[in-house]
Amino acid sequence: ADSTLTRNFCIIAHIDHGKSTLADRFIEKAKLYVSRGPAQDQILDTMDIERERGITIKSQAVTIPYTAKDGKTYELNLVDTPGHVDFSYEVSRAISSCEGALLVIDASQGVEAQTLANLYMAMEHNLTIIPVINKIDLPSADIDACLHQIDHDLGLEPEETVLVSAKTGAGVDELFEAIVKQINPPEGKDSLPLQALIFDSHYDAYRGVIVHCRVFNGILEVGSEVRFMHTDTPYKVEEVGFFQLGLVKTDALHAGDVGYVITGVKTISDVRVGDTITTVKNAAKNPLPGFKDVKPVVFSSIYPVDTNDYEELVSAIERLKLNDASLIYEKDSSAALGFGFRCGFLGMLHLEVVQERIEREFGLSIVFTSPSVKYIVHMKNGDVINIDNPLEYPDPMRVEYAEEPFIQANIITPSQFVGSLITLCMEKRGVQVGMNYLDEKRVELLYEMPLSEVLFEFYDRMKSVSRGYASFDYQLIGYKRTDLVRMDILVNGEPVDALSQLVFRGSSQLRGKQVCERLKGEIPRQQYKIAIQAAIGGTIVSRETINAFRKDVTAKCYGGDISRKRKLLEKQKEGKKRMKMVGNVEIPQSAFLAVLKSD
Ligand code: GDP
Ligand code: MG
């Protein structure tokens, strides 16, 4: 391949601005696939959950041949990226393998928080950035406002902006031309020692681990002996190729190419994203600059609703891990719930995705315990311990103080919502560190806040107080001192260990009340009265009662029509699968998750 005809680029944008749809149009325009029946939307979003939720979780790569107006056929390597903060590490991987980025902006929304965050990331890697205004077909499109923001907020050239509709395909040809003209071909030489950057990997049941890489220098050839420099493991190259809508084999990947390599690696965990592949002979002296390790920030335990399903849960987790190196886990056990796993997640969305996959792909009913961040606890005897499980929180008498992780949040909002957002941030223990008027109508708020406050419900609250208009992004800034207590939940006097949580003392009263009310709403009436209590140390801080049901109410349901009765019974059986016995009380799976939410 002639690398002067190669263009490596990614599409970055705030969530929902149309990256995946635009990628579809590219693939379609390039006539890369033969249409079989109605075309599927979001072709690159291959996981079921991605399709249903309309979010992109894994970055995907695809090579698109394009014959430009100059008559030459270019090879465009496109990497689609996710937009949600939980998965921002996927974006940084994608960016490192490209020379250019299309920064997509929704014409009806304008610049949002992750537009900025992604722009900064692309600038750090010196990418050529092409501003793209998408959704110009919408009646609410405000192209002039977007052009102004591109100039004023982003410091990019409004004249270089390409206007498109990923929905209708308008402007996509112009965008192809802009990519060819504005983005530089990859540098790097075939004659230098091999340096190929691993930017992703996925697991294929038949082929094993498929490593996604970008060759910066040298040639990655079938049959050669290679070494992964950071993990320092040797492999033999079994196959290399390009991504089309599937894998297309070739003999070698050259400097500038984006493609895959199969080397007989057995599990995803053996591959470090950010590692450099080089040859054993004539090895590169240095690895390419790698990536930061991805660290989980939310911890929770998973238990099967039916303890007999434990073995199935073991295999489900192992299978998920094959394809999701960011999921970490270890064995765990609970008095209330039996055997399970303590897991680490990138954020609440990641947790929900894992939950859905276990339930959907493996048909298992599971419960999650209250998610927690990782705290640093300083003991009176000088020991310093990390705690992410409320059950491991030491006796408060022995604790000197605790620290919790903080973030800096960057919120962009129309100015009329500033007041309500400030109130919300203060309620979440936020401290304002900046407030900038981007223009007459929009404000950027900068806040330092505890991560724990942001994880669990901040996003929904922010959207509701700003009628959906505010957007936010955050990054971890480190640990700060906090005042932590452990709150236990008792059901009919029995502590349910899986519902214990670590909370800020100042919010504990309110939190206890919320949790008890929530549980009251989720636990169905049973034969006897149920008391739900929140306790800190020996003190009950809140209490709710669920009254026993009256027999006649159910009797009525069972009268009459036989098929209706059968349906009801089946529904009940289905419901039972999702119930967990704690002492003598049946707690539905939904109750465990409901504890996290509060309005
Ligand atoms: P992503 O999160 O950036 O990958 O965004 P998606 O590609 O999933 O698009 C988000 C939503 O916007 C989907 O409902 C798309 O159908 C819609 N969308 C994307 N591009 C356009 C467009 O050009 N015009 C209109 N009207 N809708 C679009
Ligand atoms: Mg997407």
Side-chain angles (χ1 to χ4, degrees):
D2 176 356
S3 71
T4 61
L5 296 178
T6 301
R7 300 290 183 273
N8 298 320
F9 69 100
C10 53
I11 308 181
I12 52 180
H14 192 78
I15 191 158
D16 279 349
H17 283 206
K19 294 176 296 288
S20 301
T21 311
L22 184 60
D24 287 355
R25 282 302 83 69
F26 281 162
I27 292 166
E28 197 178 83
K29 285 258 177 194
K31 304 202 170 49
L32 204 63
Y33 67 98
V34 203
S35 175
R36 291 182 227 97
Q40 263 177 322
D41 284 347
Q42 276 97 31
I43 298 164
L44 293 183
D45 291 349
T46 46
M47 279 196 256
D48 274 356
I49 296 178
E50 292 188 336
R51 283 241 172 82
E52 276 174 30
R53 296 195 165 201
I55 52 170
T56 310
I57 296 162
K58 295 288 290 177
S59 287
Q60 300 277 347
V62 64
T63 300
I64 302 165
Y66 170 68
T67 305
K69 293 215 176 93
D70 64 11
K72 294 178 189 157
T73 298
Y74 291 83
E75 188 177 274
L76 309 182
N77 293 313
L78 153 68
V79 176
D80 185 26
T81 59
H84 192 278
V85 273
D86 277 14
F87 302 104
S88 65
Y89 75 104
E90 295 274 355
V91 180
S92 73
R93 298 166 174 195
I95 282 176
S96 313
S97 57
C98 298
E99 277 78 33
L102 310 184
L103 182 65
V104 174
I105 298 159
D106 183 327
S108 66
Q109 303 293 321
V111 168
E112 297 196 71
Q114 281 150 46
T115 316
L116 280 174
N118 285 324
L119 170 70
Y120 296 148
M121 215 187 284
M123 284 165 63
E124 269 170 41
H125 287 85
N126 294 317
L127 302 202
T128 302
I129 294 152
I130 302 178
V132 177
I133 299 178
N134 185 33
K135 306 197 190 181
I136 56 168
D137 60 289
L138 288 177
S140 54
D142 189 346
I143 295 169
D144 288 338
C146 290
L147 286 170
H148 173 76
Q149 293 170 7
I150 285 169
D151 184 12
H152 187 267
D153 303 356
L154 308 181
L156 299 173
E157 295 303 324
E159 302 82 58
E160 287 173 6
T161 304
V162 185
L163 307 184
V164 304
S165 165
K167 186 177 175 187
T168 66
V172 173
D173 289 326
E174 288 76 5
L175 188 52
F176 271 129
E177 287 297 316
I179 291 166
V180 166
K181 287 209 193 85
Q182 292 179 35
I183 298 175
N184 290 329
E187 290 170 0
K189 293 201 174 70
D190 280 359
S191 56
L192 291 173
L194 176 67
Q195 284 177 308
L197 180 73
I198 299 177
F199 67 87
D200 201 358
S201 64
H202 75 270
Y203 181 79
D204 179 291
Y206 302 103
R207 319 295 309 272
V209 174
I210 297 171
V211 174
H212 304 202
C213 66
R214 154 73 198 269
V215 180
F216 278 83
N217 284 303
I219 303 174
L220 182 57
E221 231 171 339
V222 172
S224 62
E225 307 276 341
V226 294
R227 199 164 59 83
F228 290 11
M229 297 180 83
H230 283 290
T231 54
D232 200 23
T233 35
Y235 293 102
K236 192 175 160 98
V237 177
E238 291 168 9
E239 182 178 321
V240 297
F242 297 102
F243 298 104
Q244 304 229 319
L245 292 177
L247 306 177
V248 178
K249 263 199 252 189
T250 178
D251 304 331
L253 296 175
H254 293 256
D257 284 344
V258 172
Y260 69 89
V261 51
I262 300 175
T263 59
V265 179
K266 288 291 177 307
T267 85
I268 292 274
S269 315
D270 292 338
V271 182
R272 277 263 318 266
V273 167
D275 202 349
T276 301
I277 307 174
T278 191
T279 42
V280 169
K281 278 185 208 143
N282 188 27
K285 281 210 189 67
N286 299 308
L288 296 158
F291 303 96
K292 282 178 237 156
D293 250 345
V294 197
K295 294 220 175 64
V297 294
V298 186
F299 301 83
S300 167
S301 301
I302 307 179
Y303 295 95
V305 169
D306 181 346
T307 42
N308 293 323
D309 287 344
Y310 176 68
E311 289 306 324
E312 276 173 69
L313 179 63
V314 174
S315 74
I317 296 255
E318 282 169 357
R319 295 260 297 281
L320 279 184
K321 175 74 183 176
L322 287 176
N323 225 339
D324 183 356
S326 54
L327 171 68
I328 62 153
Y329 64 89
E330 60 188 31
K331 289 216 166 103
D332 194 12
S333 67
S334 141
L337 303 176
F339 289 107
F341 291 96
R342 187 81 191 157
C343 300
F345 305 94
L346 302 173
M348 288 302 286
L349 179 64
H350 187 208
L351 180 150
E352 284 173 31
V353 165
V354 168
Q355 180 194 13
E356 270 188 48
R357 292 188 66 186
I358 292 178
E359 299 207 316
R360 187 186 309 216
E361 292 170 27
F362 302 91
L364 283 170
S365 229
I366 50 173
V367 293
F368 276 82
T369 62
S370 304
S372 171
V373 298
K374 194 189 278 288
Y375 295 95
I376 298 176
V377 181
H378 296 258
M379 305 294 289
K380 287 192 173 137
N381 68 3
D383 287 353
V384 178
I385 49 178
N386 288 327
I387 299 278
D388 64 53
N389 187 343
L391 301 180
E392 286 165 9
Y393 197 72
D395 176 0
M397 301 296 289
R398 293 169 44 225
V399 174
E400 183 73 38
Y401 67 95
E403 291 179 293
E404 69 176 313
F406 271 67
I407 55 136
Q408 173 162 319
N410 151 7
I411 301 170
I412 295 184
T413 176
S415 44
Q416 70 261 40
F417 304 117
V418 164
S420 346
L421 285 166
I422 288 179
T423 310
L424 173 64
C425 289
M426 280 168 59
E427 188 190 309
K428 298 292 169 197
R429 295 189 277 143
V431 173
Q432 197 179 91
V433 290
M435 175 161 156
N436 312 312
Y437 273 82
L438 296 172
D439 52 41
E440 317 76 62
K441 295 198 208 100
R442 286 170 325 122
V443 178
E444 179 182 43
L445 293 170
L446 301 174
Y447 268 86
E448 288 186 4
M449 282 195 270
L451 174 66
S452 62
E453 298 283 357
V454 170
L455 283 177
F456 303 135
E457 51 137 25
F458 182 77
Y459 188 76
D460 293 341
R461 290 279 304 279
M462 179 195 78
K463 284 288 176 195
S464 82
V465 302
S466 68
R467 285 193 239 124
Y469 284 109
S471 61
F472 100 125
D473 192 65
Y474 68 81
Q475 61 197 72
L476 283 166
I477 51 172
Y479 276 77
K480 292 188 182 197
R481 193 167 171 151
T482 184
D483 189 3
L484 207 59
V485 291
R486 171 170 146 186
M487 187 171 80
D488 294 316
I489 303 295
L490 303 123
V491 175
N492 274 354
E494 282 212 45
V496 183
D497 58 1
L499 293 176
S500 292
Q501 48 188 302
L502 296 172
V503 288
F504 180 65
R505 187 187 301 275
S507 334
S508 59
Q509 201 94 24
L510 184 66
R511 190 88 188 106
K513 188 165 177 285
Q514 282 171 344
V515 170
C516 290
E517 281 170 3
R518 275 255 153 187
L519 284 173
K520 182 178 177 178
E522 294 290 338
I523 299 178
R525 291 182 175 207
Q526 292 169 34
Q527 313 270 17
Y528 27 77
K529 236 185 193 176
I530 302 167
I532 302 169
Q533 296 166 303
I536 291 169
T539 316
I540 303 292
V541 295
S542 184
R543 181 195 161 104
E544 292 286 336
T545 307
I546 301 173
N547 287 320
F549 56 53
R550 286 172 297 148
K551 293 245 157 52
D552 53 342
V553 176
T554 41
K556 223 181 243 164
C557 297
Y558 289 98
D561 176 1
I562 185 87
S563 74
R564 184 157 155 264
K565 184 172 165 184
R566 194 184 309 123
K567 244 190 213 148
L568 251 161
L569 283 174
E570 258 159 34
K571 234 184 168 166
Q572 267 202 340
K573 220 164 80 193
E574 192 54 33
K576 277 269 192 285
K577 259 175 57 189
R578 293 172 156 249
M579 292 278 198
K580 186 82 214 171
M581 285 302 286
V582 174
N584 58 357
V585 179
E586 281 180 339
I587 301 183
Q589 180 199 37
S590 57
F592 290 90
L593 273 178
V595 172
L596 331 174
K597 299 182 182 140
S598 55
D599 9 271

